[in-house]
Amino acid sequence: MSRSPSTRPKARAAGAAGPSTRRRGTELTQAIFEATLRELAEKSFEELSFDSIAPAAGTGKSVLYRRWSTTAELVLAALKDHEAGLGRPVVPDTGTLRGDLIVILSTLARILDQPRGRALRPLLAQRARHPELFEQIMDQVVRPHRATMLECIRSAADQGQADPARATERIAAVGPRLIIAECLETGSVSDADVVLVVDEVLLPLLTP
């Protein structure tokens, strides 16, 4: 029995529609990064695999293997990405040290409450199991944000709003560490909590 002529054009049309909707380039990369961080936010790093990431991103495993050798490489790339990952460090200019600190730490708190931020939690909690990946994340993802905090404090010191002797890397790390620690302990950090960290801890440390 011959096929009805009307079925052939439909089959060709359906086949032609598939490739046209397939994601490529930057769009595909962003989908992979977002899927990676969503998956990591919901499970431990040991459970993360290309087998679970690929369908979540709407692509095949071969696409992932062509670009990343391991899940650790993919996780680091995703966290470093300015769109899907932790984003560019915020450089506020509110005119006051207090205002700038609140903006920086509130932004960090909001990111930590999103899937991309929650993806950090298993990595922080399992530091001893993956020391190399942990150090790479600290060096390439976390420390650039701390550097922005230090720059903010030094700028305030130049304007007489902070003690120049307190503009150190250790003190600049206090705020982000408190926000991360509270997020790990309670699950999220509210704007009111951020203000308390700034008013009760950072300003007494920094102001002349």
mmCIF file of all heavy atoms in Angstrom, residues 4-34:
data_model
loop_
_atom_site.group_PDB
_atom_site.id
_atom_site.type_symbol
_atom_site.label_atom_id
_atom_site.label_comp_id
_atom_site.label_asym_id
_atom_site.label_seq_id
_atom_site.Cartn_x
_atom_site.Cartn_y
_atom_site.Cartn_z
ATOM 1 N N SER A 4 -0.076 7.886 1.662
ATOM 2 C CA SER A 4 -0.826 9.041 1.176
ATOM 3 C C SER A 4 0.117 10.198 0.942
ATOM 4 O O SER A 4 0.985 10.493 1.772
ATOM 5 C CB SER A 4 -1.873 9.450 2.229
ATOM 6 O OG SER A 4 -2.440 10.689 1.881
ATOM 7 N N PRO A 5 0.035 10.839 -0.199
ATOM 8 C CA PRO A 5 0.940 11.961 -0.487
ATOM 9 C C PRO A 5 0.888 13.045 0.577
ATOM 10 O O PRO A 5 1.847 13.754 0.796
ATOM 11 C CB PRO A 5 0.409 12.482 -1.841
ATOM 12 C CG PRO A 5 -0.334 11.334 -2.453
ATOM 13 C CD PRO A 5 -0.910 10.575 -1.314
ATOM 14 N N SER A 6 -0.272 13.155 1.235
ATOM 15 C CA SER A 6 -0.404 14.245 2.202
ATOM 16 C C SER A 6 0.447 14.037 3.439
ATOM 17 O O SER A 6 0.731 14.968 4.170
ATOM 18 C CB SER A 6 -1.866 14.410 2.620
ATOM 19 O OG SER A 6 -2.324 13.246 3.271
ATOM 20 N N THR A 7 0.874 12.740 3.702
ATOM 21 C CA THR A 7 1.652 12.484 4.906
ATOM 22 C C THR A 7 3.102 12.883 4.745
ATOM 23 O O THR A 7 3.773 13.187 5.712
ATOM 24 C CB THR A 7 1.586 11.005 5.283
ATOM 25 O OG1 THR A 7 2.144 10.237 4.218
ATOM 26 C CG2 THR A 7 0.161 10.571 5.558
ATOM 27 N N ARG A 8 3.623 12.885 3.509
ATOM 28 C CA ARG A 8 5.049 13.171 3.317
ATOM 29 C C ARG A 8 5.402 14.615 3.630
ATOM 30 O O ARG A 8 6.343 14.887 4.345
ATOM 31 C CB ARG A 8 5.448 12.819 1.880
ATOM 32 C CG ARG A 8 5.314 11.341 1.570
ATOM 33 C CD ARG A 8 6.069 10.994 0.294
ATOM 34 N NE ARG A 8 5.664 9.699 -0.193
ATOM 35 C CZ ARG A 8 4.867 9.499 -1.233
ATOM 36 N NH1 ARG A 8 4.399 10.539 -1.907
ATOM 37 N NH2 ARG A 8 4.536 8.277 -1.619
ATOM 38 N N PRO A 9 4.661 15.591 3.134
ATOM 39 C CA PRO A 9 4.982 16.984 3.472
ATOM 40 C C PRO A 9 4.922 17.257 4.965
ATOM 41 O O PRO A 9 5.726 17.999 5.507
ATOM 42 C CB PRO A 9 3.931 17.798 2.712
ATOM 43 C CG PRO A 9 3.506 16.916 1.587
ATOM 44 C CD PRO A 9 3.577 15.526 2.133
ATOM 45 N N LYS A 10 3.951 16.621 5.660
ATOM 46 C CA LYS A 10 3.848 16.837 7.107
ATOM 47 C C LYS A 10 5.075 16.319 7.820
ATOM 48 O O LYS A 10 5.604 16.942 8.723
ATOM 49 C CB LYS A 10 2.593 16.147 7.645
ATOM 50 C CG LYS A 10 1.293 16.812 7.234
ATOM 51 C CD LYS A 10 0.112 16.070 7.826
ATOM 52 C CE LYS A 10 -1.197 16.721 7.380
ATOM 53 N NZ LYS A 10 -2.360 15.989 7.904
ATOM 54 N N ALA A 11 5.550 15.129 7.417
ATOM 55 C CA ALA A 11 6.744 14.562 8.044
ATOM 56 C C ALA A 11 7.939 15.453 7.822
ATOM 57 O O ALA A 11 8.745 15.695 8.712
ATOM 58 C CB ALA A 11 6.994 13.152 7.497
ATOM 59 N N ARG A 12 8.068 15.942 6.580
ATOM 60 C CA ARG A 12 9.205 16.819 6.297
ATOM 61 C C ARG A 12 9.101 18.115 7.090
ATOM 62 O O ARG A 12 10.076 18.635 7.602
ATOM 63 C CB ARG A 12 9.249 17.112 4.793
ATOM 64 C CG ARG A 12 9.793 15.960 3.961
ATOM 65 C CD ARG A 12 10.196 16.460 2.596
ATOM 66 N NE ARG A 12 9.056 16.989 1.847
ATOM 67 C CZ ARG A 12 8.306 16.257 1.022
ATOM 68 N NH1 ARG A 12 8.536 14.967 0.879
ATOM 69 N NH2 ARG A 12 7.308 16.814 0.369
ATOM 70 N N ALA A 13 7.895 18.627 7.211
ATOM 71 C CA ALA A 13 7.713 19.882 7.957
ATOM 72 C C ALA A 13 8.069 19.706 9.420
ATOM 73 O O ALA A 13 8.709 20.555 10.031
ATOM 74 C CB ALA A 13 6.269 20.366 7.837
ATOM 75 N N ALA A 14 7.645 18.550 10.002
ATOM 76 C CA ALA A 14 7.964 18.295 11.399
ATOM 77 C C ALA A 14 9.451 18.172 11.604
ATOM 78 O O ALA A 14 10.027 18.677 12.558
ATOM 79 C CB ALA A 14 7.251 17.018 11.858
ATOM 80 N N GLY A 15 10.117 17.480 10.645
ATOM 81 C CA GLY A 15 11.566 17.320 10.763
ATOM 82 C C GLY A 15 12.287 18.635 10.614
ATOM 83 O O GLY A 15 13.313 18.879 11.243
ATOM 84 N N ALA A 16 11.750 19.505 9.760
ATOM 85 C CA ALA A 16 12.405 20.791 9.545
ATOM 86 C C ALA A 16 12.253 21.701 10.739
ATOM 87 O O ALA A 16 13.082 22.550 11.008
ATOM 88 C CB ALA A 16 11.809 21.474 8.307
ATOM 89 N N ALA A 17 11.164 21.507 11.520
ATOM 90 C CA ALA A 17 10.923 22.406 12.649
ATOM 91 C C ALA A 17 11.866 22.132 13.797
ATOM 92 O O ALA A 17 12.203 23.028 14.550
ATOM 93 C CB ALA A 17 9.472 22.250 13.126
ATOM 94 N N GLY A 18 12.319 20.873 13.961
ATOM 95 C CA GLY A 18 13.173 20.501 15.082
ATOM 96 C C GLY A 18 14.460 21.290 15.165
ATOM 97 O O GLY A 18 14.705 22.014 16.132
ATOM 98 N N PRO A 19 15.312 21.221 14.104
ATOM 99 C CA PRO A 19 16.585 21.937 14.165
ATOM 100 C C PRO A 19 16.430 23.436 14.344
ATOM 101 O O PRO A 19 17.272 24.088 14.924
ATOM 102 C CB PRO A 19 17.235 21.594 12.816
ATOM 103 C CG PRO A 19 16.575 20.307 12.395
ATOM 104 C CD PRO A 19 15.184 20.397 12.914
ATOM 105 N N SER A 20 15.329 24.010 13.830
ATOM 106 C CA SER A 20 15.175 25.464 13.914
ATOM 107 C C SER A 20 14.949 25.933 15.346
ATOM 108 O O SER A 20 15.176 27.085 15.666
ATOM 109 C CB SER A 20 14.006 25.910 13.026
ATOM 110 O OG SER A 20 12.792 25.408 13.544
ATOM 111 N N THR A 21 14.456 25.015 16.212
ATOM 112 C CA THR A 21 14.216 25.410 17.596
ATOM 113 C C THR A 21 15.350 24.974 18.518
ATOM 114 O O THR A 21 15.300 25.213 19.703
ATOM 115 C CB THR A 21 12.899 24.786 18.094
ATOM 116 O OG1 THR A 21 12.977 23.358 17.978
ATOM 117 C CG2 THR A 21 11.722 25.280 17.270
ATOM 118 N N ARG A 22 16.345 24.292 17.984
ATOM 119 C CA ARG A 22 17.445 23.812 18.807
ATOM 120 C C ARG A 22 18.332 24.979 19.228
ATOM 121 O O ARG A 22 18.674 25.839 18.423
ATOM 122 C CB ARG A 22 18.269 22.793 18.015
ATOM 123 C CG ARG A 22 19.321 22.075 18.830
ATOM 124 C CD ARG A 22 20.024 21.031 17.982
ATOM 125 N NE ARG A 22 19.069 20.036 17.487
ATOM 126 C CZ ARG A 22 19.332 19.202 16.486
ATOM 127 N NH1 ARG A 22 20.492 19.282 15.843
ATOM 128 N NH2 ARG A 22 18.439 18.323 16.112
ATOM 129 N N ARG A 23 18.695 24.991 20.499
ATOM 130 C CA ARG A 23 19.526 26.088 21.008
ATOM 131 C C ARG A 23 20.985 25.866 20.639
ATOM 132 O O ARG A 23 21.477 24.745 20.652
ATOM 133 C CB ARG A 23 19.371 26.205 22.517
ATOM 134 C CG ARG A 23 18.037 26.746 22.933
ATOM 135 C CD ARG A 23 17.865 26.735 24.424
ATOM 136 N NE ARG A 23 17.813 25.382 24.952
ATOM 137 C CZ ARG A 23 17.401 25.090 26.186
ATOM 138 N NH1 ARG A 23 17.030 26.052 26.984
ATOM 139 N NH2 ARG A 23 17.371 23.851 26.592
ATOM 140 N N ARG A 24 21.661 26.944 20.361
ATOM 141 C CA ARG A 24 23.077 26.874 19.997
ATOM 142 C C ARG A 24 23.810 28.053 20.642
ATOM 143 O O ARG A 24 23.203 28.973 21.152
ATOM 144 C CB ARG A 24 23.262 26.926 18.481
ATOM 145 C CG ARG A 24 22.744 25.718 17.726
ATOM 146 C CD ARG A 24 23.054 25.838 16.237
ATOM 147 N NE ARG A 24 22.694 24.643 15.501
ATOM 148 C CZ ARG A 24 21.495 24.404 14.990
ATOM 149 N NH1 ARG A 24 20.531 25.301 15.154
ATOM 150 N NH2 ARG A 24 21.240 23.295 14.334
ATOM 151 N N GLY A 25 25.122 28.002 20.577
ATOM 152 C CA GLY A 25 25.946 29.119 20.994
ATOM 153 C C GLY A 25 25.703 29.561 22.422
ATOM 154 O O GLY A 25 25.590 28.751 23.340
ATOM 155 N N THR A 26 25.592 30.869 22.611
ATOM 156 C CA THR A 26 25.440 31.443 23.949
ATOM 157 C C THR A 26 24.168 30.971 24.631
ATOM 158 O O THR A 26 24.162 30.699 25.832
ATOM 159 C CB THR A 26 25.434 32.981 23.864
ATOM 160 O OG1 THR A 26 26.655 33.422 23.260
ATOM 161 C CG2 THR A 26 25.317 33.598 25.247
ATOM 162 N N GLU A 27 23.096 30.837 23.873
ATOM 163 C CA GLU A 27 21.826 30.402 24.459
ATOM 164 C C GLU A 27 21.948 28.998 25.048
ATOM 165 O O GLU A 27 21.474 28.726 26.155
ATOM 166 C CB GLU A 27 20.725 30.424 23.405
ATOM 167 C CG GLU A 27 19.344 30.092 23.962
ATOM 168 C CD GLU A 27 18.268 30.088 22.894
ATOM 169 O OE1 GLU A 27 18.594 30.319 21.712
ATOM 170 O OE2 GLU A 27 17.107 29.842 23.253
ATOM 171 N N LEU A 28 22.620 28.111 24.315
ATOM 172 C CA LEU A 28 22.809 26.747 24.812
ATOM 173 C C LEU A 28 23.732 26.740 26.023
ATOM 174 O O LEU A 28 23.476 26.043 27.011
ATOM 175 C CB LEU A 28 23.387 25.859 23.707
ATOM 176 C CG LEU A 28 23.749 24.425 24.116
ATOM 177 C CD1 LEU A 28 22.542 23.691 24.667
ATOM 178 C CD2 LEU A 28 24.352 23.670 22.928
ATOM 179 N N THR A 29 24.804 27.514 25.960
ATOM 180 C CA THR A 29 25.746 27.573 27.084
ATOM 181 C C THR A 29 25.054 28.043 28.352
ATOM 182 O O THR A 29 25.242 27.475 29.430
ATOM 183 C CB THR A 29 26.926 28.516 26.755
ATOM 184 O OG1 THR A 29 27.606 28.038 25.594
ATOM 185 C CG2 THR A 29 27.910 28.578 27.921
ATOM 186 N N GLN A 30 24.225 29.089 28.237
ATOM 187 C CA GLN A 30 23.499 29.585 29.401
ATOM 188 C C GLN A 30 22.540 28.537 29.951
ATOM 189 O O GLN A 30 22.403 28.373 31.165
ATOM 190 C CB GLN A 30 22.728 30.854 29.039
ATOM 191 C CG GLN A 30 23.608 32.072 28.780
ATOM 192 C CD GLN A 30 24.424 32.458 29.989
ATOM 193 O OE1 GLN A 30 23.890 32.708 31.057
ATOM 194 N NE2 GLN A 30 25.745 32.503 29.841
ATOM 195 N N ALA A 31 21.879 27.803 29.049
ATOM 196 C CA ALA A 31 20.961 26.750 29.489
ATOM 197 C C ALA A 31 21.714 25.660 30.249
ATOM 198 O O ALA A 31 21.233 25.140 31.256
ATOM 199 C CB ALA A 31 20.236 26.149 28.284
ATOM 200 N N ILE A 32 22.905 25.319 29.782
ATOM 201 C CA ILE A 32 23.722 24.302 30.453
ATOM 202 C C ILE A 32 24.167 24.791 31.824
ATOM 203 O O ILE A 32 24.085 24.063 32.820
ATOM 204 C CB ILE A 32 24.944 23.939 29.582
ATOM 205 C CG1 ILE A 32 24.498 23.213 28.308
ATOM 206 C CG2 ILE A 32 25.926 23.065 30.374
ATOM 207 C CD1 ILE A 32 25.601 23.021 27.291
ATOM 208 N N PHE A 33 24.640 26.034 31.892
ATOM 209 C CA PHE A 33 25.088 26.589 33.171
ATOM 210 C C PHE A 33 23.933 26.637 34.172
ATOM 211 O O PHE A 33 24.089 26.254 35.341
ATOM 212 C CB PHE A 33 25.651 27.991 32.970
ATOM 213 C CG PHE A 33 27.013 28.030 32.332
ATOM 214 C CD1 PHE A 33 27.499 29.193 31.753
ATOM 215 C CD2 PHE A 33 27.818 26.905 32.304
ATOM 216 C CE1 PHE A 33 28.754 29.240 31.172
ATOM 217 C CE2 PHE A 33 29.082 26.937 31.719
ATOM 218 C CZ PHE A 33 29.545 28.117 31.148
ATOM 219 N N GLU A 34 22.779 27.113 33.741
ATOM 220 C CA GLU A 34 21.626 27.222 34.647
ATOM 221 C C GLU A 34 21.178 25.845 35.123
ATOM 222 O O GLU A 34 20.864 25.661 36.303
ATOM 223 C CB GLU A 34 20.485 27.952 33.941
ATOM 224 C CG GLU A 34 20.769 29.435 33.709
ATOM 225 C CD GLU A 34 19.744 30.091 32.802
ATOM 226 O OE1 GLU A 34 18.771 29.406 32.418
ATOM 227 O OE2 GLU A 34 19.921 31.279 32.462
#
